[in-house]
Amino acid sequence: MTTLSEGRGRTSRLPRSARRAQLMEAAQSVFVESGYHATAMDEIADRAKVSKPVLYQHFPGKLDLYLALMDTHTAQLPALVEQALASTTDNAQRVAATVEAFFEFVDRKDAAFRMVFESDLINEPAVAERVERMMSQCAESVSEVVKEDTGFPQEQAHLIGMAMVGMCQVVARYWLSQGASIPREEAARLVAKLGWRGLGGLPLTDEAGEHPGA
């Protein structure tokens, strides 16, 4: 006899971690397509081919599921920026790699950046806090390099870092919104050139480690 689950094309039993990953992938696609407010848990369950009780076993509510995805995505961009900065000791190349990290993030097939930067739930404190923390972490990584090379105080170095990552995310999103008419590599190169013109002009510390403006 065919069971109800089989009749609806439900998936077979999976290990908990695999099931959770499957549910998050399904939810990701629905949230990106419809936004938070227009998405129903029923729709996510259908997309994942599971029953609603199975979905609720892993995520008590829609917000819990959304925040789980936000936790994943907002950890990925700072990691990309850290990898970019660690990939070389040449600062011009560091700028280029950092810019490329943002272009790579917005160009992903899962469109995770839409949940991070274009969420219709941005007024939810838990969502806003995650986005702000992510951008601050990215800026902090850049500021550490700035502080080391210039001797600027932490507050000034962080401001410069925030300017850099703010420019990167806005321009990368704009590039994608225009249909990526400029090849990604060329677009990133142009933005990196602009960024390096500014960062490369900052005064460096002398050999004794003293800031030249001190």
Side-chain angles (χ1 to χ4, degrees):
M1 179 182 295
T2 300
T3 66
L4 179 61
S5 294
E6 289 170 342
R8 291 182 178 177
R10 302 300 189 185
T11 56
S12 59
R13 191 173 187 86
L14 292 175
R16 184 172 181 82
S17 60
R19 177 67 77 197
R20 181 180 174 88
Q22 177 205 19
L23 296 174
M24 290 179 68
E25 182 179 357
Q28 167 74 22
S29 63
V30 179
F31 282 134
V32 166
E33 292 170 10
S34 305
Y36 178 83
H37 295 295
T39 293
M41 291 290 270
D42 303 69
E43 187 178 1
I44 294 172
D46 285 342
R47 185 72 58 93
K49 294 183 171 58
V50 300
S51 64
K52 277 184 68 177
V54 168
L55 179 57
Y56 281 112
Q57 285 174 9
H58 292 266
F59 300 99
K62 185 169 69 167
L63 181 59
D64 299 283
L65 179 47
Y66 196 87
L67 292 179
L69 284 165
M70 288 292 293
D71 285 337
T72 296
H73 298 326
T74 56
Q76 290 166 343
L77 186 54
L80 287 174
V81 171
E82 286 187 9
Q83 291 169 13
L85 293 170
S87 65
T88 176
T89 56
D90 181 281
N91 284 338
Q93 293 178 15
R94 279 172 166 164
V95 171
T98 299
V99 172
E100 173 57 28
F102 278 83
F103 274 79
E104 176 186 337
F105 185 71
V106 304
D107 200 28
R108 282 170 36 176
K109 290 184 178 180
D110 66 0
F113 83 96
R114 296 195 184 281
M115 288 187 63
V116 174
F117 295 121
E118 300 174 3
S119 173
D120 60 345
L121 197 62
I122 194 59
N123 290 327
E124 165 64 42
V127 173
E129 188 274 332
R130 283 164 168 77
V131 175
E132 290 170 7
R133 183 175 66 234
M134 176 198 68
M135 290 299 288
S136 183
Q137 288 172 340
C138 292
E140 184 63 26
S141 294
V142 175
S143 74
E144 287 300 315
V145 177
V146 172
K147 187 169 61 174
E148 179 180 345
D149 287 352
T150 66
F152 281 3
Q154 175 61 33
E155 293 80 3
Q156 294 181 19
H158 190 78
L159 183 66
I160 293 169
M162 189 60 76
M164 178 66 188
V165 300
M167 176 187 72
C168 288
Q169 70 97 348
V170 169
V171 175
R173 288 169 53 208
Y174 173 79
W175 165 79
L176 192 65
S177 73
Q178 298 304 298
S181 56
I182 302 174
R184 188 174 104 182
E185 183 177 318
E186 175 64 11
R189 186 189 68 80
L190 288 171
V191 177
K193 186 174 183 179
L194 175 63
W196 177 239
R197 289 278 292 184
L199 291 173
L202 295 176
L204 302 179
T205 55
D206 60 21
E207 293 183 357
E210 182 179 355
H211 191 284

